[in-house]
Amino acid sequence: MDRPLSDIVVLDLTRALAGPIAQLRSRVDFLILLSDLTTADNDQAGSAWYNPAVDSHYGIHVSFSYYSGGGSGADGISFFLFDGGESSPGLGAPGGGLGYKNVQGAYLGVGLDSFGNFLSLDSWTTGVGHGTFSNYVSLRGHGDPGSGYKYLAGSAVDTSDYGVSDSNYGIDGPTWRLVDLTITADQLLTLKMSWDDGANWETLLTNYDLNSTNNIEGYTVPTTLKLGFAGSTGGAVDLHQIDNVTLA
């Protein structure tokens, strides 16, 4: 079933940024322009979210550009969906939480993890093991502060189709990356990335079934969803920015 208004929308986002001393400020950004999630300083978490809710029954298609670099390689960026009934997702945890851990009314988090703690049991109660798993794109499920956020799936970034094995083609680096994410009305998720401004795309997750992993044990998809972005740093840092966000 098609969304009644399928035209591309350029998003207004409400933005919150917390630094090491947890001072909070907010503003409204028009995302045809650049938006910083963190600076290249220690122990930061920053988030931006689209406040109008969208009907979850039609599925979601989101694309955006991001920059993660200019520092020592941590931690990464997350894209997340949360319950449309929430006025704010709150500010998630810095470091390996990628700003998604402790999001209020969270439905799904997609971690673009440069340092490697978004999958790690050292930072979460579920994951793929102890230690770090850098250059991964991974999914975490629904949760509220203090519980949930189960690890669902992950994919190492593979740029072999580009004929390179250079760090410039990982999750972070000196150039902008493009992300294209689709969740169908049947809750099948496909995620692609491009390192050359859309000339070539690497498909990292294909038709991943959220109904069999996230929407279980009595949990159902919220009727409406809001979308957000977050970035985080810890002992190591990067500048994290997003741009050119579209929703269709």
Side-chain angles (χ1 to χ4, degrees):
M1 185 175 183
D2 293 332
R3 185 187 302 279
L5 296 176
S6 58
D7 292 338
I8 290 176
V9 179
V10 179
L11 303 181
D12 271 332
L13 284 91
T14 301
R15 180 173 181 268
L17 176 66
I21 57 175
Q23 289 181 330
L24 188 67
R25 70 176 188 264
S26 63
R27 69 184 190 198
V28 175
D29 282 332
F30 192 59
L31 255 218
I32 200 167
L33 302 174
L34 187 74
S35 182
D36 293 346
L37 294 173
T38 74
T39 57
D41 295 296
N42 299 111
D43 301 315
Q44 289 201 343
S47 64
W49 63 94
Y50 181 48
N51 208 40
V54 297
D55 192 328
S56 63
H57 295 100
Y58 299 112
I60 288 176
H61 178 206
V62 177
S63 63
F64 60 93
S65 304
Y66 81 88
Y67 175 81
S68 178
S72 47
D75 273 273
I77 286 175
S78 64
F79 164 79
F80 58 87
L81 297 169
F82 65 103
D83 191 331
E86 298 286 347
S87 60
S88 164
L91 192 61
L98 297 190
Y100 178 63
K101 188 177 186 179
N102 292 334
V103 162
Q104 185 74 35
Y107 172 59
L108 179 72
V110 179
L112 303 164
D113 191 1
S114 54
F115 190 79
N117 279 325
F118 198 68
L119 286 75
S120 178
L121 289 169
D122 297 329
S123 299
W124 302 79
T125 56
T126 63
V128 298
H130 294 282
T132 57
F133 304 87
S134 59
N135 279 319
Y136 262 80
V137 174
S138 53
L139 308 178
R140 286 194 172 273
H142 63 86
D144 277 296
S147 65
Y149 315 102
K150 180 178 71 173
Y151 170 74
L152 302 179
S155 176
V157 170
D158 178 10
T159 55
S160 58
D161 289 349
Y162 288 76
V164 298
S165 57
D166 191 284
S167 61
N168 290 356
Y169 292 84
I171 293 296
D172 65 343
T175 60
W176 285 78
R177 286 90 165 96
L178 276 62
V179 177
D180 186 279
L181 181 141
T182 300
I183 301 176
T184 69
D186 296 327
Q187 294 296 293
L188 300 178
L189 181 149
T190 296
L191 186 143
K192 301 182 293 183
M193 287 185 64
S194 173
W195 287 260
D196 54 10
D197 202 29
N200 296 281
W201 290 90
E202 194 76 35
T203 301
L204 300 175
L205 295 165
T206 304
N207 288 332
Y208 178 81
D209 188 2
L210 293 169
N211 281 325
S212 66
T213 55
N214 195 31
N215 311 332
I216 59 174
E217 299 173 351
Y219 180 84
T220 58
V221 186
T223 304
T224 61
L225 292 167
K226 296 178 181 179
L227 61 94
F229 299 87
S232 70
T233 65
V237 303
D238 266 336
L239 171 66
H240 298 104
Q241 299 171 313
I242 53 172
D243 202 356
N244 300 319
V245 183
T246 62
L247 168 66

